[in-house]
């Protein structure tokens, strides 16, 4: 199969501390790239969102400062606040990584975030 562009989704719960956001952002990113065999040159961009209660650190910054499984220095990273929805789950970091892959991606939901998308977490 020829490579085509896909959006790979993921989410993880975190506490509102720099350490927790950094640990969880790197953990989620590493799980996504390792599970999907993604290399730096395959990535188009990475968009993070955070729920409004997570304001201690930007996950894009956290990833750059952490120990990602692949080089992220040339990858466009962006972060925005998740839309506030009454009754929505707090303490969530979400990501959408756009990349060229040769197969449909595996979406990754970790550390309790599996409940957000049980269809992806089977």
């Amino acid at each position: 199969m020829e490579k085509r562009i896909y959006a790979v989704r993921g989410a993880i719960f975190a506490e509102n501390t720099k350490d927790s956001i950094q640990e969880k952002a790197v953990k989620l990113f590493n799980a996504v790239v390792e599970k999907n065999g993604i290399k730096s040159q395959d990535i188009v961009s990475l968009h993070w969102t955070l729920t409004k209660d997570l304001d201690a650190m930007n996950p894009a910054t956290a990833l750059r400062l952490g120990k990602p499984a692949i080089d992220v220095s040339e990858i466009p990273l962006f972060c925005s606040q998740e839309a506030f929805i009454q009754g929505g789950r707090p303490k969530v970091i979400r990501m959408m990584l756009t990349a060229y892959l040769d197969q449909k991606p595996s979406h990754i939901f970790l550390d309790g975030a599996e409940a957000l998308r049980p269809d992806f977490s089977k």
Side-chain angles (χ1 to χ4, degrees), residues 1-2 24 26-28 46 50 72 93 108 110 121:
M1 180 176 180
E2 188 174 318
K24 299 298 183 138
V26 172
K27 179 178 181 177
L28 179 59
L46 174 55
L50 297 157
V72 298
I93 299 172
I108 307 293
L110 301 172
S121 301

Side-chain angles (χ1 to χ4, degrees), residues 10-105:
I12 196 165
F13 285 107
E15 295 301 319
N16 190 32
T17 66
K18 287 181 180 183
D19 287 343
S20 179
I21 292 170
Q22 182 172 18
E23 173 193 340
K24 299 298 183 138
V26 172
K27 179 178 181 177
L28 179 59
F29 176 80
N30 287 348
V32 166
V33 299
E34 289 169 3
K35 177 74 175 179
N36 290 285
I38 298 171
K39 296 173 179 57
S40 294
Q41 63 268 24
D42 296 328
I43 299 175
V44 175
S45 65
L46 174 55
H47 185 172
W48 298 95
T49 65
L50 297 157
T51 50
K52 71 178 187 173
D53 53 335
L54 295 178
D55 61 5
M57 185 177 223
N58 179 326
T61 301
L63 184 63
R64 284 190 183 102
L65 296 175
K67 294 188 183 339
I70 60 174
D71 180 29
V72 298
S73 63
E74 298 294 321
I75 298 170
L77 304 176
F78 185 78
C79 183
S80 59
Q81 186 178 29
E82 185 79 21
F84 176 73
I85 306 297
Q86 288 183 348
R89 297 275 180 99
K91 300 181 179 182
V92 181
I93 299 172
R94 289 181 173 87
M95 66 178 282
M96 185 167 62
L97 186 147
T98 306
Y100 287 93
L101 303 173
D102 54 12
Q103 62 186 18
K104 286 188 175 183

